[in-house]
Amino acid sequence: MDEFSVSAASSPKLGEEFEFEFSPFLDESEEWEAIFSGNPEGYMGLEQIQGWRYRAFGRVVSVNPVVVDCGLFKAEGVISSSDPNLIGEPVAFLVSRLGGYAYSTY
């Protein structure tokens, strides 16, 4: 992965269970048509394009705000809409940088 936040105070210790949350930074220049036509098979996941850039694939799970489930993470802000007909639609979009952080579950 590309960028991860590390804080000694909140980082899990050796042997501890922890949660991990991805933090995608979206490429906001992508057109609506490309987002909705880029995933006709309904694939969920990520493919690295080059360096820090990824193509994310997923399905719209809610609107207003729009949330897309990509399997590894849920992304908010891919598009803006309040149309409930978008729920379940497969989409693909660009992630310009992928980060994340681990945190203890206790």
Side-chain angles (χ1 to χ4, degrees), residues 1-5 20-26 46 51-54 56 72-73 95-101:
M1 300 303 142
D2 300 305
E3 178 187 20
F4 296 97
S5 298
F20 188 86
E21 189 166 324
F22 285 99
S23 177
F25 296 90
L26 307 179
L46 289 177
W52 291 23
R53 293 175 54 96
Y54 293 83
L72 292 174
F73 59 82
V95 174
S96 58
R97 186 175 71 220
L98 185 61
Y101 58 94

Side-chain angles (χ1 to χ4, degrees), residues 35-98:
I35 292 170
F36 281 94
S37 66
N39 190 9
E41 297 84 22
Y43 177 68
M44 291 183 75
L46 289 177
E47 289 181 5
Q48 185 177 25
I49 297 171
Q50 182 179 17
W52 291 23
R53 293 175 54 96
Y54 293 83
R55 189 85 175 143
F57 301 90
R59 292 189 177 277
V60 176
V61 294
S62 68
V63 294
N64 203 22
V66 173
V67 176
V68 175
D69 184 354
C70 297
L72 292 174
F73 59 82
K74 291 183 180 175
E76 188 176 317
V78 175
I79 58 166
S80 294
S81 179
S82 59
D83 184 356
N85 292 317
L86 294 180
I87 295 174
E89 288 295 314
V91 295
F93 57 95
L94 293 173
V95 174
S96 58
R97 186 175 71 220
L98 185 61

Side-chain angles (χ1 to χ4, degrees), residues 10-13 15-20 101-106:
S10 62
S11 292
K13 307 299 181 246
E16 284 182 342
E17 289 191 25
F18 64 92
E19 295 289 326
F20 188 86
Y101 58 94
Y103 56 93
S104 296
T105 56
Y106 64 91

